[in-house]
Amino acid sequence: MNKRNNHILKSLMLLLVLLISLNAVANSTEKGWYTDYDKALAEAKKNKVPLLINFSGSDWCKPCIMLSETIFFTDVFRNYASDSLVLLNLDFPVNKKNQPEKDEMKRRDALAEKYNESGVFPSVILIDANEKVLGQTGYKKISPLAYISHLKSLLIGFKYEIADATPDKSELRETYTMMGARFEIVAIDRDTELAQKAINNAHSEIVRIEALISSWNENSQTYSINTNAGIKATEVDEELFRLIERALKVSKLSEGAFDISFASIDKLWKFDRTMTELPDSVYVAKSVSKINYKNVILNKENLTVYLKDKGMKIGFGAIGKGYAANCAKKIMTDLGIKDGIVNAGGDIIAWGNKVNGKPWKVGISNPTKQSKFVSFLQVNDMAVVTSGDYERYSIINGERYSHIIDPKTGYPSKGLVSVTIVCPDAELADALATTVFVMGEEKGLALINRMALIDCILINDKGDITTSDNLDLNFVDPNTTEQ
Ligand code: ADP
Ligand code: MG
């Protein structure tokens, strides 16, 4: 072999070793397990939960491998542990290749001496943040649920568990159908009467907003604006005026991808799966000519709205639920509710914490299997809003048509199947989710990356997931199943 080939071979070997060792690192850390005792202990202290130490031998101890595969790596166990434990894996491989550096091996030996004197493998020790041993298990062929209930029985009396189990706050939850969607309002407080009042007031607030912005309710101001298109300006409440003003800003920002005057075309499409053929392209062209946010004329002095073209129409389908969620939250926080959620048909705004003091988790639905989540986000004072093509759509000639219309063509937008926007404001998140859906993956992502404090998760029709630059997917745990 000549010198050059030898060199290439060496480089390849090096790369292989690097890849194998990277893989080993990934395996030991990716499943939510710590490998460093001090870090794990600090985390247990911070979260006020016990620390579970798994003494294992990954390359020689069959029961250790069984314990990991049949219990620790299951969704049920991960879900339980994500809220209730900090996990530490102390591996004692016999194969030199798999062993960590000497100092680390020494540290593990010392911990084994301290907690696993008998030298049994696998051995699982539960300790509290003061390093007091709370219990111990080994491996038996049992279900993950049985294992969890065994752990729970060992942890009875653990003071943080007790504190969690009897919170001094309680959670109230109500669901309603409003704006054609399912709303859920959650309030947490010591005072249940106050929490109930907050939910009731939030509910009334959403009813009020629906009456203001509905485009089919003949008594609404929006209905007046639409019926007077091309005829005269309509005087409206300042609230509606400002909402339209903000919607037009998003239109400008998106160069018309978002446009509340999309509604001129809404009669041509039905997204309840009853549509069997595409609308006549002549009508589509005719209606699309009426869509133009620049023809929504606002007069600040008189607070009037005028649609320039006859046949023009506005609708708040893409921003109304987000606006309602913001307003409902404000009603509740003004009453002093420090922890809560308003879920407006999947447009979620969450603030404070869950009743057990842990952060809210919001799931991002898998567009093809909605009972499953592709990921979870931990949120506080944040809105998470998803526009998807999976709720309202029609299948025509085997193709899927979603309810989000590209104002430039009059046809439903294609390419993306789910857009999630994460930002503190639910109305903006709602409007931007629709906007990015229309703009498509590349332009939409570029827009979000330009905006501070706004992030997105995009899923295209091939199932690829893309996130904005600042979204740290490390804090997303796709294995949890709880909201
Ligand atoms: P969802 O209603 O599922 O939360 P969106 O917030 O994306 O989804 O809103 C979709 C609704 O927005 C459509 O049903 C329609 O009423 C309206 N809409 C459709 N296309 C546009 C558009 N290009 N600009 C503004 N609104 C739109
Ligand atoms: Mg929207």
Side-chain angles (χ1 to χ4, degrees), residues 49-64:
V49 293
L51 171 61
L52 179 151
I53 311 174
N54 178 32
F55 287 94
S56 67
S58 62
D59 60 1
W60 59 273
C61 163
K62 189 112 190 278
C64 301

Side-chain angles (χ1 to χ4, degrees), residues 258 317-319 347 385-387 404 427 429-435:
F258 179 89
I319 191 170
D347 296 0
V385 172
T386 301
S387 278
I404 297 175
E427 176 193 316
D430 194 3
L432 287 177
T434 311
T435 306

Side-chain angles (χ1 to χ4, degrees), residues 138 159 162 179 354 458 479:
K159 62 177 186 237
I162 288 173
M179 299 182 161
K354 293 198 283 193
L458 312 180
N479 298 307

Side-chain angles (χ1 to χ4, degrees), residues 316-445:
F316 298 99
I319 191 170
K321 283 190 283 184
Y323 175 58
N326 274 353
C327 296
K329 177 198 165 187
K330 178 155 189 331
I331 291 276
M332 293 168 77
T333 51
D334 282 353
L335 271 176
I337 302 297
K338 295 201 170 58
D339 309 277
I341 285 195
V342 178
N343 178 346
D347 296 0
I348 292 171
I349 188 153
W351 67 101
N353 290 306
K354 293 198 283 193
V355 73
N356 63 4
K358 308 257 166 64
W360 295 109
K361 282 184 199 164
V362 178
I364 313 294
S365 289
N366 179 334
T368 53
K369 234 192 234 160
Q370 279 126 65
S371 54
K372 290 257 177 201
F373 294 115
V374 291
S375 57
F376 272 82
L377 293 173
Q378 281 194 357
V379 288
N380 185 0
D381 285 332
M382 213 40 105
V384 180
V385 172
T386 301
S387 278
D389 82 343
Y390 43 84
E391 271 156 4
R392 296 181 52 215
Y393 62 88
S394 278
I395 302 225
I396 304 167
N397 301 331
E399 262 204 74
R400 204 180 168 96
Y401 290 88
S402 87
H403 64 141
I404 297 175
I405 307 277
D406 182 342
K408 298 211 167 61
T409 64
Y411 285 91
S413 179
K414 292 232 160 263
L416 288 169
V417 295
S418 166
V419 174
T420 300
I421 302 285
V422 186
C423 79
D425 183 302
E427 176 193 316
L428 183 63
D430 194 3
L432 287 177
T434 311
T435 306
V436 171
F437 208 99
V438 175
M439 289 177 88
E441 197 168 335
E442 211 176 303
K443 284 192 181 157
L445 192 65

Side-chain angles (χ1 to χ4, degrees), residues 273-291:
R273 277 151 257 190
T274 58
M275 224 175 151
T276 51
E277 50 186 280
L278 289 176
D280 192 321
S281 57
V282 177
Y283 289 122
V284 174
K286 213 171 152 198
S287 301
V288 97
S289 69
K290 309 267 179 214
I291 307 178

